[in-house]
């Protein structure tokens, strides 16, 4: 990348990040690299790919497609994804606001849906309302913390019951259908997922309500 420049001293540290973080910086002639300790046991070819990507970023050079693909394949592999989630679960702390809202109780809605659509077979994860009135992230299932978070915009009288039921039903389908890998892509809403989602009776009304939000 810089064939005529002298090689600066390089310090590499593995740190206890909660994800596959990598950082590089050049300060006072020294390059400092911080890598997640999840990468400590990575294959040599992956470490090389990371080195290339970080140096290319630092020196604003194009990133080699082969290296990029190698790193993406590694970081999205099932084993690494699972390990990252376990570590996030153990290390990350998360604010928790609880399932009891002013109008709806998430556990009650969950139990109703569980009996109606899943034969009561889904284990109940942590359920919590979001901190604020999030309109971009209406709901999500966080596998690392086994928690479903629902936006508080659904906890008011103008929000029909079928809307929160649909939202929770969607997140419950994520519990039932874990993310699949298709090559380097994460397939979140598989064909089976979508087919099952269509079983929700007020699907159209609920989606229209969410669109209006
Ligand atoms: Zn989804």
């Amino acid at each position: 990348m810089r064939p005529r420049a002298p090689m600066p001293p390089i310090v590499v540290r593995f740190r206890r990040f909660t994800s596959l973080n990598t950082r590089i910086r050049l300060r006072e002639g020294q390059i400092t690299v911080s890598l997640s300790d999840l990468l400590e046991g990575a294959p040599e070819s992956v470490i090389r790919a990371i080195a290339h990507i970080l140096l290319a970023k630092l020196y604003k050079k194009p990133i080699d497609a082969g290296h990029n693909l190698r790193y993406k394949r590694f970081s999205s592999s099932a084993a690494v994804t699972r390990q990252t989630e376990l570590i996030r679960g153990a290390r990350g702390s998360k604010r928790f606001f609880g399932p009891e809202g002013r109008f709806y109780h998430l556990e009650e809605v969950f139990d109703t849906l569980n009996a109606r659509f899943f034969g009561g077979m889904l284990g109940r994860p942590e359920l919590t309302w979001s901190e604020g009135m999030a309109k971009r992230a209406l709901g999500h299932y966080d596998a690392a913390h086994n928690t479903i978070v629902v936006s508080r915009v659904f906890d008011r009288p103008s929000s029909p019951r079928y809307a929160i039921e649909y939202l929770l039903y969607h997140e419950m389908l994520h519990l039932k259908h874990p993310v699949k890998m298709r090559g380097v892509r994460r397939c979140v809403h598989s064909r089976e997922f979508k087919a099952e989602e269509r079983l929700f009776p007020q699907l159209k009304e609920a989606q229209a309500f969410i669109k209006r939000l």
Side-chain angles (χ1 to χ4, degrees):
M1 284 177 195
R2 303 186 72 202
R4 271 172 294 276
M7 178 146 82
I10 300 177
V11 176
V12 179
R13 281 198 208 100
F14 288 96
R15 309 180 66 163
R16 283 169 52 94
F17 292 136
T18 52
S19 64
L20 280 188
N21 273 349
T22 55
R23 273 184 219 148
I24 189 165
R25 66 174 198 210
L26 175 61
R27 196 172 282 175
E28 287 162 10
Q30 177 181 290
I31 291 180
T32 306
V33 178
S34 306
L35 300 172
S36 163
D37 57 0
L38 286 165
L39 294 166
E40 228 173 332
E44 164 92 21
S45 60
V46 173
I47 297 287
R48 276 181 170 278
I50 292 169
H52 169 87
I53 292 166
L54 289 176
L55 288 169
K57 280 185 180 162
L58 185 67
Y59 292 121
K60 301 190 169 60
K61 301 278 178 176
I63 293 173
D64 176 80
H67 281 313
N68 208 21
L69 187 65
R70 200 161 294 123
Y71 177 62
K72 283 224 166 102
R73 278 219 178 104
F74 171 79
S75 58
S76 62
S77 68
V80 171
T81 311
R82 178 88 194 109
Q83 197 187 6
T84 317
E85 288 190 342
L86 285 174
I87 286 194
R88 270 213 299 148
R91 288 182 187 169
S93 62
K94 186 154 204 170
R95 294 185 71 186
F96 187 77
F97 297 93
E100 200 181 336
R102 291 175 67 190
F103 296 96
Y104 296 110
H105 197 297
L106 292 173
E107 287 180 351
E108 182 270 314
V109 181
F110 182 98
D111 291 346
T112 308
L113 292 168
N114 199 8
R116 210 162 116 206
F117 295 102
F118 303 94
M121 296 301 282
L122 278 187
R124 192 168 69 197
E126 296 289 344
L127 297 164
T128 180
W129 290 103
S130 67
E131 182 178 8
M133 293 279 183
K135 285 195 179 168
R136 288 202 142 193
L138 295 176
H140 74 275
Y141 170 59
D142 179 346
H145 297 90
N146 191 31
T147 300
I148 292 176
V149 183
V150 178
S151 169
R152 250 178 230 284
V153 291
F154 290 95
D155 188 33
R156 50 189 181 186
S158 59
S159 175
R161 172 137 182 140
Y162 64 71
I164 179 157
E165 280 191 345
Y166 163 68
L167 196 94
L168 207 50
Y169 178 63
H170 179 99
E171 299 311 322
M172 289 165 82
L173 289 176
H174 279 304
L175 277 178
K176 189 176 167 185
H177 301 274
V179 175
K180 283 190 195 137
M181 298 306 299
R182 199 175 281 157
V184 296
R185 288 200 52 218
R186 286 157 59 86
C187 178
V188 182
H189 302 116
S190 62
R191 192 172 298 166
E192 306 88 76
F193 182 109
K194 285 180 181 155
E196 214 168 323
E197 189 175 38
R198 283 194 290 273
L199 299 177
F200 188 78
Q202 298 108 323
L203 182 69
K204 285 223 169 73
E205 295 93 316
Q207 287 178 338
F209 176 82
I210 286 170
K211 218 172 215 173
R212 284 199 301 277
L213 273 185

